[in-house]
């Protein structure tokens, strides 16, 4: 897992070559015998709750003995549920029982630096509320942590805040906690089949160490990877405390039942913010372990921040899209890691990637993979520099040019005595891959140039230089960042926010080489990773930062502050617009002074779910109580039945003009006496009106309501149109994108589906 999530996806794109690579199967691991069962009753005491789980299982299994053997987890802290081994018939019978609300199968998910903080304006000298910050506890569900990492040194920190109820066990390979890393546990009740899986919170992958140091790492001067990206590494809230809940494993990925157990623990331990860079499945909100866990967290005042996924640029690929989750897309910062490739004819082209090797000679012979094939049968494979396809005598001492088919071909070429590899690829060019032998990656245009040069001479030569930092235009949404529209609801725009997630430098584990690939001998305390996994802790950190100024704010208030203060992104460079970047780029120093907030209480979410057509029994799962009677709730008067900081209108096919009426209420958290005026930006063909156009406040926390009416006509070949509502008062700007989209737009054809 780890950023390899992003890499594994690459492999899946080259299915032909996939068979050779074992990791392809890792994500398909499935165990259809494990189910999660949500009970109808509220929680009693812990022992009574476990007893009731055993009782309902016994009634199915015939004996308490068999029942207790099949019980895998009892969730007893925050919600009344258990995980157990069941046959599909038993699962069906279980769901028919009166005392049971919902049964769903356990599934496996996958995991989805310091310059990045400066880039978005959170500088070491930025205002901080240190006293409160050190009382903030951030919980991460991830691959574990590296306790000896400098990022988690506890210099200057006193004992954990009194509210902390969590634990930090001592395990093999885990040296324990301190006043910075105050909690560390692991959750795994499934088979262990990978030598990298150590039953301890230790991070053998690097992903969890990376995300937690990005979120809340202490300051470390001179962080770098072989001299690249040198600077002070730090998290958003360097004084906050960290609690790690390890739920992702090399053998299985991240199991729903472990994720639920970790949420259950984190909520009762007393964390303030949960950051989870895991995804991979999308479903409805009541059978998605992350949505359920986050809902329970929200009800205890804890905001869950989650990654949007790395399945972009495909539309509708966003995951973790429940309205009570803050869903994070990934963007690039203004630094790229590039290597110059000098050709024998003097021409210099540019490739991307981390190549830490300095060439020894001025030029080396250059040849194409096809021309060094073992024999005519391996020509197709040698075009991709696949293992066993090339003739070592022809590779020796040369630079080889090949197409990207799988990761690690730089090492294959090196292993045959080659000098280096120039890899051509049409995609995956916005994030730097780390190479374990001299290599760089170029796009098709440059590939053609190199090919032309090779064909123009009998003795082509080239050299790959060590990687340098290059300044580029930013921000832009990463190509891999998952896109809307939200597959879970037509009424909620997702993702919510964008944050840096390309080439992020943060702490790493000493237990894994930089690439994790066979033969790599590069190790470092810091490394670059890319993914929405890396963007997520940036937002988690800013959520903690906002909370350090406003400890009493609800999760929805913190989320609203982060969204309405985001910086607008360029629709020109991000053609999916808000479906790529949500409300825009994270803007930490503004997020602590939002002026107004769109708050949402628990009942509003229930009303929203009823309106979305969820069954009362399924909603009960989220509340940890019996079925909800949706018909008893007041009818929602708004298009979306929720006080969301953004607005999304799905065009209706059977109507000439679709009209959406959005009702919103804002709460004054800015100056006591203030007047906010509305500015509306409506795209061509869309009419947006706001009533009233001015909101006056005379005291703190005063609420004011307004109505937004959006009228739009369906237009061929348009997926999304962007409008905007901004409330302004002095320096305060409260920004809400309003999008209109065609839910039947066919992403492949660019037309409407009928
Ligand atoms: C890496 O971190 C460990 C533990 O903090 C430290 O002992 C070691 O000196 C570091 N290595 C380098 C090269 O800085
Ligand atoms: C973990 O601890 C065991 C027992 O002390 C040891 O044999 C093993 O090498 C350790 N593994 C790692 C990755 O440190
Ligand atoms: C290929 O890469 C070069 C160098 O980064 C860049 O200037 C060029 O625009 C790229 N071409 C395409 C089609 O992406
Ligand atoms: C959500 O999924 C569960 C389990 O698969 C199902 O029982 C329920 O009907 C679904 N609800 C909605 C609104 O789709």
């Amino acid at each position: 897992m780890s950023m390899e999530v992003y890499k594994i996806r690459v492999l899946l794109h080259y299915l032909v070559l996939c068979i050779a690579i074992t990791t392809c199967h890792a994500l398909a691991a499935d165990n259809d015998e494990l189910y999660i069962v949500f009970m109808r009753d509220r929680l009693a005491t812990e022992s009574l709750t476990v007893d009731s789980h055993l009782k309902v299982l016994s009634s199915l299994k015939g004996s308490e003995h068999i029942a207790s053997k099949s019980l895998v987890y009892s969730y007893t802290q925050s919600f009344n549920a258990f995980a157990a081994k069941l046959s599909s018939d038993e699962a069906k019978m279980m769901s028919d029982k009166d005392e049971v609300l919902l049964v769903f199968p356990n599934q496996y998910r996958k995991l989805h630096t310091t310059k990045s903080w400066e880039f978005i304006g959170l500088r070491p000298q930025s205002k901080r509320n240190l006293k409160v910050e050190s009382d903030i506890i951030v919980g991460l569900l991830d691959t574990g942590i590296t306790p000896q990492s400098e990022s988690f040194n506890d210099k200057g920190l006193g004992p954990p805040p009194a509210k902390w109820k969590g634990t930090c066990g001592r395990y093999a390979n885990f040296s324990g906690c301190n006043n910075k890393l105050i909690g560390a546990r692991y959750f795994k009740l499934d088979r262990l089949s990978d030598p990298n899986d150590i039953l301890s919170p230790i991070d053998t992958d690097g992903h969890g160490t990376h995300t937690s140091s990005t979120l809340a790492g202490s300051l470390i001067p001179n962080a770098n990877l072989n001299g690249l990206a040198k600077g002070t590494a730090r998290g958003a809230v360097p004084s906050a405390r960290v609690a790690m809940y390890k739920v992702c494993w090399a053998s299985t990925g991240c199991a729903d039942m472990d994720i639920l157990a970790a949420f259950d623990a984190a909520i009762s331990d007393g964390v303030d913010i949960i950051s989870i860079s895991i995804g991979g499945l999308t479903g409805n909100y009541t059978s998605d372990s992350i949505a359920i866990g986050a809902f329970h967290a929200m009800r205890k005042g804890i905001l869950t921040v989650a990654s949007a996924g790395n399945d972009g640029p495909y539309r509708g690929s966003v995951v973790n899209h429940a309205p009570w989750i803050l869903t994070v897309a990934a963007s690039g910062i203004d630094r790229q890691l590039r290597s110059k490739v000098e050709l024998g004819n003097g021409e210099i082209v540019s490739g991307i990637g981390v190549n830490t090797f300095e060439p020894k000679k001025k030029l080396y012979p250059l040849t194409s993979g096809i021309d060094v094939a073992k024999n005519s049968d391996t020509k197709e494979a040698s075009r991709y520099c696949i293992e066993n396809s090339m003739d070592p005598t022809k590779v020796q001492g040369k630079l080889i040019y090949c197409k990207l088919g799988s990761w690690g071909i730089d090492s294959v070429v090196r292993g045959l005595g080659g000098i280096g590899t120039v890899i051509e690829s049409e995609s995956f060019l916005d994030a730097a891959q780390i190479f374990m032998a001299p290599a760089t990656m170029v796009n098709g245009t440059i590939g053609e140039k190199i090919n032309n040069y090779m064909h123009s001479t009998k003795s082509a030569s080239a050299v790959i230089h060590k990687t340098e930092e290059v300044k580029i235009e930013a921000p832009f949404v990463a190509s891999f960042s998952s896109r809307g529209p939200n597959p879970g609801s037509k009424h909620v725009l997702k993702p919510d926010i964008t944050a840096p997630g390309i080439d992020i430098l943060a702490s790493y584990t000493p237990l894994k080489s930089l690439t994790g690939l066979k033969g790599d001998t590069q190790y470092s305390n810091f490394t670059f990773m890319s993914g929405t996994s890396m963007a997520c802790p940036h937002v988690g950190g800013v959520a903690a930062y906002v909370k350090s100024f406003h400890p009493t704010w609800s999760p929805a208030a913190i989320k609203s502050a982060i969204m309405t203060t985001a910086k607008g992104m360029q629709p020109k460079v991000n053609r999916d617009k808000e479906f790529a970047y949500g409300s825009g780029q994270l803007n930490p120093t503004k997020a602590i002074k939002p002026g107004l907030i769109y708050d949402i209480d628990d009942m509003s979410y229930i009303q929203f779910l009823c309106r979305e057509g969820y069954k009362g029994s399924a909603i009960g799962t989220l509340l940890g109580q019996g079925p909800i009677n949706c018909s008893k709730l007041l009818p929602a008067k708004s298009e979306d039945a929720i006080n969301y900081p953004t607005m999304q209108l799905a065009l209706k096919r059977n109507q000439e003009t679709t009209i959406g009426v959005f009702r919103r209420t804002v709460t004054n958290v800015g100056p006591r006496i203030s007047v906010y005026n509305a500015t509306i930006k409506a795209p061509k063909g869309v009419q947006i009106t706001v009533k009233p156009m001015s909101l006056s406040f005379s005291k703190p926390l005063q609420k004011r309501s307004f109505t937004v009416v959006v009228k739009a006509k369906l237009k061929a070949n348009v997926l999304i149109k962007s409008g905007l509502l901004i409330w302004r008062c002095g320096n305060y700007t409260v920004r809400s994108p309003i999008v209109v989209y065609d839910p039947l737009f066919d992403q492949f054809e660019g037309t409407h589906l009928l």
Side-chain angles (χ1 to χ4, degrees):
M1 308 291 114
S2 90
M3 128 142 181
E4 279 67 45
V5 175
Y6 172 44
K7 288 188 181 173
I8 284 167
R9 249 181 36 74
V10 180
L11 301 179
L12 295 176
H13 276 262
Y14 295 88
L15 275 180
V16 197
L17 307 164
C18 202
I19 323 113
I21 297 141
T22 53
T23 41
C24 286
H25 303 288
L27 295 178
D30 205 346
N31 188 339
D32 58 12
E33 295 201 319
L34 283 158
Y35 286 86
I36 295 160
V37 180
F38 273 79
M39 306 289 285
R40 180 173 297 257
D41 289 339
R42 279 172 191 280
L43 286 166
T45 65
E46 180 168 341
S47 64
L48 278 179
T49 306
V50 178
D51 283 350
S52 72
H53 296 165
L54 276 171
K55 201 169 144 223
V56 68
L57 254 179
S58 306
S59 71
L60 208 72
K61 296 275 186 186
S63 87
E64 186 149 329
H65 176 69
I66 304 175
S68 64
K69 273 175 88 180
S70 66
L71 184 67
V72 178
Y73 272 113
S74 271
Y75 308 104
T76 58
Q77 309 291 327
S78 312
F79 35 87
N80 186 358
F82 63 89
K85 291 206 166 90
L86 300 173
S87 70
S88 58
D89 285 349
E90 286 170 337
K92 172 102 195 33
M93 277 149 67
M94 186 65 91
S95 64
D96 290 340
K97 285 183 179 292
D98 278 347
E99 58 268 55
V100 170
L101 265 182
L102 193 76
V103 179
F104 62 88
N106 173 62
Q107 288 180 282
Y108 295 87
R109 291 157 190 271
K110 57 187 180 173
L111 288 163
H112 287 201
T113 311
T114 338
K115 156 105 174 149
S116 54
W117 286 120
E118 266 81 11
F119 182 70
I120 57 173
L122 190 63
R123 302 193 167 79
Q125 63 273 25
S126 293
K127 194 169 138 191
R128 280 167 69 196
N129 194 359
L130 279 182
K131 209 173 135 16
V132 184
E133 188 180 309
S134 66
D135 282 343
I136 302 248
I137 305 163
V138 295
L140 293 100
L141 276 59
D142 213 302
T143 62
I145 198 159
T146 304
Q148 73 273 23
S149 164
E150 274 299 303
S151 286
F152 311 114
N153 82 57
D154 63 354
K155 276 178 214 138
L157 288 174
K163 66 182 176 190
W164 175 243
K165 293 198 221 52
T167 58
C168 177
R170 289 198 166 268
Y171 308 89
N173 311 86
F174 191 80
S175 57
C177 291
N178 59 18
N179 286 333
K180 172 76 188 174
L181 174 62
I182 60 171
R185 297 177 59 181
Y186 73 84
F187 299 85
K188 181 167 184 63
L189 285 178
D190 203 356
R191 63 193 181 275
L192 274 174
S193 57
D194 191 294
N196 288 318
D197 281 344
I198 301 175
L199 284 178
S200 114
I202 198 79
D203 182 11
T204 53
D205 181 275
H207 187 277
T209 302
H210 203 275
T211 55
S212 34
S213 62
T214 299
L215 202 163
S218 307
L219 272 69
I220 320 173
N222 275 322
N224 67 84
L225 175 61
N226 288 355
L228 287 171
K230 201 168 191 153
T232 297
R234 66 167 206 277
V237 278
S239 298
R241 321 294 178 125
V242 174
M244 171 56 67
Y245 300 85
K246 176 171 171 180
V247 295
C248 294
W249 302 85
S251 51
T252 49
C254 330
D256 276 339
M257 56 181 181
D258 293 326
I259 292 171
L260 276 174
F263 267 107
D264 197 25
I267 295 166
S268 67
D269 285 353
V271 304
D272 293 290
I273 301 288
I274 290 175
S275 178
I276 177 165
S277 292
I278 298 171
L281 300 169
T282 181
N284 67 38
Y285 299 139
T286 51
S287 53
D288 174 330
S289 64
I290 297 178
I292 296 170
F295 192 89
H296 287 276
M298 178 274 295
R299 295 190 77 215
K300 296 280 164 60
I302 306 162
L303 175 63
T304 299
V305 182
S307 46
N310 297 337
D311 292 317
Y314 303 104
R315 298 196 183 113
S317 52
V318 59
V319 299
N320 296 327
H321 44 60
W324 47 89
I325 292 176
L326 181 46
T327 314
V328 186
S331 58
I333 59 172
D334 62 352
R335 174 195 67 211
Q336 226 175 23
L337 301 165
R338 307 200 69 98
S339 292
K340 281 188 190 124
V341 180
E342 207 176 326
L343 304 179
N345 62 4
E347 197 165 354
I348 294 175
V349 295
S350 165
I352 194 162
V354 177
N355 166 41
T356 59
F357 310 93
E358 196 80 78
K360 293 202 177 67
K361 285 201 212 162
K362 267 199 135 130
L363 287 169
Y364 297 93
L366 169 71
T367 184
S368 162
I370 311 181
D371 295 332
V372 296
K374 249 187 192 155
N375 52 54
S376 55
D377 289 344
T378 66
K379 261 196 158 60
E380 203 37 49
S382 72
R383 181 199 291 276
Y384 295 92
C385 291
I386 297 301
E387 219 159 359
N388 298 324
S389 68
M390 294 172 287
D391 178 350
T393 61
K394 293 182 189 158
V395 172
Q396 205 141 44
K398 291 182 190 149
L399 283 179
I400 309 296
Y401 171 84
C402 34
K403 287 195 183 249
L404 179 68
S406 68
W407 300 109
I409 54 179
D410 49 318
S411 160
V412 172
V413 168
R414 186 71 173 160
L416 297 176
I419 293 293
T421 318
V422 179
I423 303 163
E424 186 201 313
S425 170
E426 283 301 344
S427 35
F428 315 106
L429 289 161
D430 52 8
Q433 307 298 333
I434 297 176
F435 298 110
M436 51 176 143
T440 196
M441 220 156 95
V442 299
N443 64 23
T445 317
I446 291 176
E448 202 179 311
K449 213 175 245 181
I450 296 174
N451 258 314
N452 289 344
Y453 162 65
M454 284 193 294
H455 287 129
S456 73
T457 168
K458 278 217 168 78
S459 53
S461 60
V463 65
I464 305 172
H465 288 283
K466 198 173 158 176
T467 296
E468 313 164 314
E469 296 167 40
V470 174
K471 212 169 154 75
I472 57 164
E473 287 279 326
F476 55 92
V477 177
S479 60
F480 58 75
S481 188
S482 287
R483 306 297 206 260
N486 183 351
S489 165
K490 277 193 241 178
H491 297 110
V492 176
L493 174 66
K494 289 284 173 172
D496 291 307
I497 188 92
T498 312
I502 294 183
D503 302 340
I504 303 301
L505 185 80
S507 286
Y508 192 59
T509 177
L511 298 177
K512 194 171 147 192
S513 69
L514 288 182
T515 62
L517 295 169
K518 201 177 77 190
D520 190 5
T521 54
Q522 308 176 94
Y523 287 84
S524 171
N525 284 343
F526 298 94
T527 196
F528 293 105
M529 288 193 191
S530 300
T532 52
S533 280
M534 282 66 240
C536 175
H538 278 88
V539 178
V542 170
Y545 181 64
V546 173
K547 185 143 183 147
S548 74
F549 288 89
H550 309 287
T552 59
W553 281 11
S554 72
I558 295 173
K559 181 175 159 181
S560 169
I562 290 173
M563 288 169 68
T564 61
T565 56
K567 264 199 192 122
M569 301 261 291
Q570 290 273 346
K572 267 195 196 132
V573 286
N574 301 284
R575 68 178 185 143
D576 300 315
K577 300 180 184 168
E578 281 79 5
F579 287 158
Y581 48 69
S583 49
Q585 175 91 335
L586 181 67
N587 194 356
T589 53
K590 284 269 188 209
I592 57 175
K593 287 180 158 187
L596 304 175
I597 49 175
Y598 293 78
D599 210 351
I600 303 174
D601 62 19
D602 301 4
M603 266 334 275
S604 308
Y605 288 116
I606 302 307
Q607 197 159 21
F608 165 81
L609 289 166
C610 285
R611 175 65 173 270
E612 293 281 312
Y614 280 80
K615 287 202 201 102
S617 57
I619 299 172
T621 312
L622 290 174
L623 286 172
Q625 65 179 51
I628 296 294
N629 189 344
C630 281
S631 63
K632 280 204 171 152
L633 294 174
L634 285 174
K637 283 179 287 179
S638 188
E639 170 74 21
D640 50 4
I642 191 169
N643 194 36
Y644 216 68
T646 56
M647 285 159 245
Q648 173 165 294
L649 178 66
L651 291 171
K652 295 181 185 93
R653 187 125 300 243
N654 55 359
Q655 284 166 18
E656 166 77 353
T657 303
T658 308
I659 303 177
V661 178
F662 298 86
R663 293 182 205 277
R664 293 291 186 269
T665 299
V666 285
T667 309
N668 180 24
V669 296
R672 195 165 64 89
I673 298 172
S674 49
V675 178
Y676 285 81
N677 292 316
T679 306
I680 302 162
K681 283 188 189 151
K684 224 173 140 189
V686 179
Q687 201 188 77
I688 301 173
T689 50
V690 176
K691 256 192 199 152
M693 286 287 283
S694 180
L695 304 172
S696 325
F697 297 89
S698 55
K699 50 184 188 217
L701 300 184
Q702 195 170 26
K703 290 180 188 290
R704 288 283 181 249
S705 297
F706 60 92
T707 303
V708 179
V709 179
V710 182
K711 290 186 191 171
K713 272 190 187 146
L714 203 65
K715 262 232 156 124
N717 296 318
V718 180
L719 168 70
I720 177 173
K721 285 201 165 201
S722 319
L724 195 57
L725 164 64
I726 301 175
W727 290 107
R728 276 207 182 86
C729 167
N731 282 334
Y732 295 90
T733 49
V734 188
R735 209 177 149 275
S736 289
I738 300 171
V739 309
V740 172
Y741 83 108
D742 176 3
L744 296 174
F745 185 87
D746 178 0
Q747 60 162 310
F748 298 106
E749 302 299 334
T751 55
H752 307 287
L753 290 176
L754 292 170

